[in-house]
């Protein structure tokens, strides 16, 4: 899938094979079998081109990763605790990416001004009016212990 996502266009078994052979020895039939399995699982679509097929990803790598995270999260018996644990595993760069994503999803800042007096985020002390005052995910991401419920969990 990495090769198919990287090229972001329909690819043949031969193209994937030649790319993989730059790193290691691999058989044409192995690549053909893997792409056929990916097609059967619904991860790629294929279109006949002569005696071969061209394979194309059904979704983006980002959409696939999001679906995996959503699936894992939805299976938790305590989704809030799962998120807190996940945020606690994140690097500073990943937490910043999370904050950026939350801002994108929330859209333009609402009419409520950001309350800078209660903003305790240490890595983002901006009081710029273009920066929304997000809570919940930001707080849990930076301080997993702060998202405890009434029972202390």
């Amino acid at each position: 899938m990495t090769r198919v996502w990287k090229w972001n266009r329909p690819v043949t078994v031969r193209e994937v094979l030649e790319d993989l052979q730059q790193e290691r020895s691999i058989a044409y039939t192995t690549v053909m079998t893997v792409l056929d399995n990916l097609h059967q699982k619904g991860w790629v679509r294929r279109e006949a081109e002569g005696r071969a097929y061209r394979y194309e990803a059904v979704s983006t790598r980002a959409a696939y990763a999001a679906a995996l995270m959503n699936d894992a999260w939805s299976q938790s018996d305590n989704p809030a605790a799962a998120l807190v644990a996940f945020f606690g595993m994140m690097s500073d760069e990943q937490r910043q990416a999370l904050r950026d994503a939350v801002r994108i999803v929330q859209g333009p800042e609402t009419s409520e001004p950001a309350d800078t007096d209660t903003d305790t985020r240490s890595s983002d002390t901006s009081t710029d009016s273009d920066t929304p005052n997000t809570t919940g995910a930001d707080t849990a991401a930076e301080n997993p212990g702060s998202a405890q419920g009434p029972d202390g969990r």
Side-chain angles (χ1 to χ4, degrees), residues 119-149:
D119 191 355
T120 59
R121 292 178 283 162
S122 60
S123 65
D124 184 4
T125 57
S126 171
T127 58
D128 188 313
S129 63
D130 291 337
T131 306
N133 182 20
T134 56
T135 59
D138 281 346
T139 303
E142 292 176 325
N143 186 359
S146 69
Q148 292 179 351

Side-chain angles (χ1 to χ4, degrees), residues 88-149:
M89 295 176 195
M90 292 177 145
S91 67
D92 289 340
E93 293 81 18
Q94 290 169 322
R95 286 188 201 110
Q96 185 58 50
L98 174 64
R99 283 189 290 276
D100 294 343
V102 168
R103 288 181 185 112
I104 290 168
V105 170
Q106 288 179 340
E109 187 173 347
T110 60
S111 59
E112 286 184 40
D115 183 1
T116 58
D117 292 335
T118 59
D119 191 355
T120 59
R121 292 178 283 162
S122 60
S123 65
D124 184 4
T125 57
S126 171
T127 58
D128 188 313
S129 63
D130 291 337
T131 306
N133 182 20
T134 56
T135 59
D138 281 346
T139 303
E142 292 176 325
N143 186 359
S146 69
Q148 292 179 351

Side-chain angles (χ1 to χ4, degrees), residues 28-113:
Y28 181 93
T29 54
T30 300
V31 176
M32 183 176 63
T33 299
V34 169
L35 284 169
D36 185 59
N37 289 342
L38 291 170
H39 176 257
Q40 289 178 24
K41 291 179 179 185
W43 290 22
V44 296
R45 66 176 69 84
R46 69 183 180 192
E47 188 172 316
E49 184 177 280
R51 293 177 45 201
Y53 288 106
R54 283 206 172 265
Y55 294 87
E56 183 176 21
V58 170
S59 67
T60 65
R61 187 177 202 145
Y64 173 70
L68 283 176
M69 290 186 288
N70 186 58
D71 184 51
W73 183 48
S74 66
Q75 292 181 30
S76 173
D77 61 347
N78 187 341
L83 282 175
V84 169
F86 179 63
F87 297 154
M89 295 176 195
M90 292 177 145
S91 67
D92 289 340
E93 293 81 18
Q94 290 169 322
R95 286 188 201 110
Q96 185 58 50
L98 174 64
R99 283 189 290 276
D100 294 343
V102 168
R103 288 181 185 112
I104 290 168
V105 170
Q106 288 179 340
E109 187 173 347
T110 60
S111 59
E112 286 184 40

